[in-house]
């Protein structure tokens, strides 16, 4: 186990902390879990029954590895894809395979981080359809997304990006 410390201005550290803090009651320790062809920034969050991995490699790289790891270990696997770009918003996409509890693996691709006004963190599709709620219980598939309009969806994605930016670039006055 290694401590999951508040990040020191690194994108992988900030993103890992941001998502792991949602999945764990106490994000003070995680298990490193590299190997099996997954990216080096891969951790196992046993309390949430989730493997969380980060890469800046474009889709579809690692999709088969995510699916195979989820199927073989009967655990949910979340791969976050993120690279710094000169744009106004930090693009983050997720590939997820849900296989917790030994169920048949269920894949979802190209999901975005979304912060609901009720403070729950979600992975949501490009439009409407199934979404994944991230909480202390792990990753939960919901058939209806947490928004009613594309404007609400955009607001939630901007909320999430803003929170991540605050972790990545903390204010000097705090």
């Amino acid at each position: 186990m290694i401590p999951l410390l508040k990040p020191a201005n690194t994108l992988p550290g900030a993103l890992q902390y941001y998502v792991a803090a949602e999945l764990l009651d106490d994000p003070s320790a995680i298990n490193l879990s590299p190997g099996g062809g997954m990216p080096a920034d891969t951790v196992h969050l046993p309390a949430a029954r989730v493997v969380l991995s980060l890469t800046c490699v474009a889709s579809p790289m690692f999709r088969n590895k995510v699916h195979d790891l989820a199927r073989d270990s009967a655990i949910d696997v979340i791969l976050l894809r993120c690279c710094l770009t000169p744009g106004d918003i930090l693009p983050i996409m997720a590939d997820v395979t849900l296989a917790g509890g030994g169920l048949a693996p269920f894949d979802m691709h190209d999901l975005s981080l979304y912060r609901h006004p009720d403070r729950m963190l979600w992975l949501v599709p490009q439009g409407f359809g199934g979404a994944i709620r991230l909480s202390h219980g792990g990753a939960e598939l919901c058939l209806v997304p947490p928004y009613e309009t594309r404007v609400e969806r955009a607001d939630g994605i901007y909320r999430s990006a803003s929170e991540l930016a605050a972790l990545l670039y903390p204010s000097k006055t705090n």
Side-chain angles (χ1 to χ4, degrees):
M1 300 275 261
I2 62 166
L4 182 63
L5 303 174
K6 210 159 186 179
N9 294 2
T10 67
L11 181 56
L15 189 53
Q16 192 174 68
Y17 179 86
Y18 182 68
V19 174
E22 292 296 317
L23 292 167
L24 301 173
D25 286 325
D26 178 18
S28 62
I30 56 175
N31 290 326
L32 283 177
S33 185
M38 292 294 289
D41 289 315
T42 298
V43 294
H44 181 207
L45 309 172
R49 299 173 313 281
V50 170
V51 170
L52 177 61
S53 189
L54 291 91
T55 187
C56 67
V57 177
S59 293
M61 186 65 117
F62 296 115
R63 278 188 179 163
N64 291 338
K65 297 291 184 187
V66 167
H67 180 89
D68 293 346
L69 177 60
R71 180 196 64 221
D72 295 345
S73 61
I75 195 167
D76 299 334
V77 180
I78 299 171
L79 174 67
L80 298 171
R81 299 178 187 278
C82 185
C83 292
L84 290 174
T85 66
D88 288 339
I89 189 167
L90 190 60
I92 300 168
M93 300 303 287
D95 290 334
V96 179
T97 298
L98 300 174
L103 298 175
F106 179 74
D107 299 311
M108 295 179 76
H109 302 294
D110 301 323
L111 303 174
S112 299
L113 281 170
Y114 169 93
R115 176 68 73 183
H116 193 273
D118 70 4
R119 306 296 311 140
M120 293 296 298
L121 187 63
W122 292 74
L123 294 170
V124 298
Q126 293 297 318
F128 295 92
I132 298 172
R133 181 173 43 207
L134 303 176
S135 67
H136 296 321
E140 177 187 357
L141 176 64
C142 298
L143 297 179
V144 178
Y147 47 85
E148 293 181 12
T149 67
R150 300 222 10 133
V151 170
E152 288 177 12
R153 179 185 178 277
D155 287 346
I157 290 170
Y158 287 128
R159 267 191 299 278
S160 178
S162 175
E163 292 171 353
L164 186 56
L167 283 175
L168 191 55
Y169 305 107
S171 170
K172 294 184 192 284
T173 59
N174 290 342

